[in-house]
Amino acid sequence: MPQKEKCVICQEAITNPICPECLQREVEHWLADFNPSLVPKLRDYTGIFDAYTQDGVNCIICGRDMRVCAHCFCKDVYQLFREQLGERAEDFLLSFDFELNREAG
Ligand SMILES: [Zn+2]
Ligand SMILES: [Zn+2]
């Protein structure tokens, strides 16, 4: 498998490429429903992933190059917001089910 088809974080094949920016939009929408104050923090955080947007596979939504899988992105976001989410944390896992349950514990 060509290196560019693998996630730079977990080294797994990116089978359902959705770039951090598109995922961020989804998560933002979800967050805005119950805690809009977390949105700026999410945006700041997503900026980190700009480093992984060259020479990868194309996002199925916007076509942008990307090299991080949805699982890694959502897992990081989940860990970032876990405490603030409180009882909604479970809901996050269900809404962004990129195999997060596998590791969330
Ligand atoms: Zn990954
Ligand atoms: Zn995209």
Side-chain angles (χ1 to χ4, degrees), residues 5-94:
E5 291 173 17
K6 288 187 205 168
C7 170
V8 291
I9 298 172
C10 68
Q11 299 295 313
E12 298 284 328
I14 301 175
T15 50
N16 188 25
I18 304 174
C19 74
E21 208 166 290
C22 289
L23 286 169
Q24 181 216 300
R25 253 195 315 269
E26 300 280 311
V27 177
E28 205 174 296
H29 194 72
W30 186 87
L31 278 179
D33 267 357
F34 79 104
N35 197 342
S37 66
L38 295 177
V39 170
K41 197 176 171 188
L42 172 69
R43 287 185 183 158
D44 277 355
Y45 188 73
T46 308
I48 297 169
F49 287 87
D50 283 349
Y52 305 129
T53 52
Q54 303 100 26
D55 193 29
V57 294
N58 296 107
C59 170
I60 53 174
I61 297 171
C62 71
R64 195 173 181 217
D65 277 303
M66 50 160 287
R67 301 182 66 186
V68 180
C69 73
H71 170 71
C72 287
F73 178 80
C74 287
K75 189 176 78 175
D76 279 8
V77 170
Y78 174 72
Q79 280 162 357
L80 184 71
F81 289 126
R82 192 174 191 165
E83 278 179 25
Q84 286 103 320
L85 289 175
E87 59 189 19
R88 295 293 301 272
E90 189 92 349
D91 206 27
F92 181 93
L93 292 179
L94 294 172

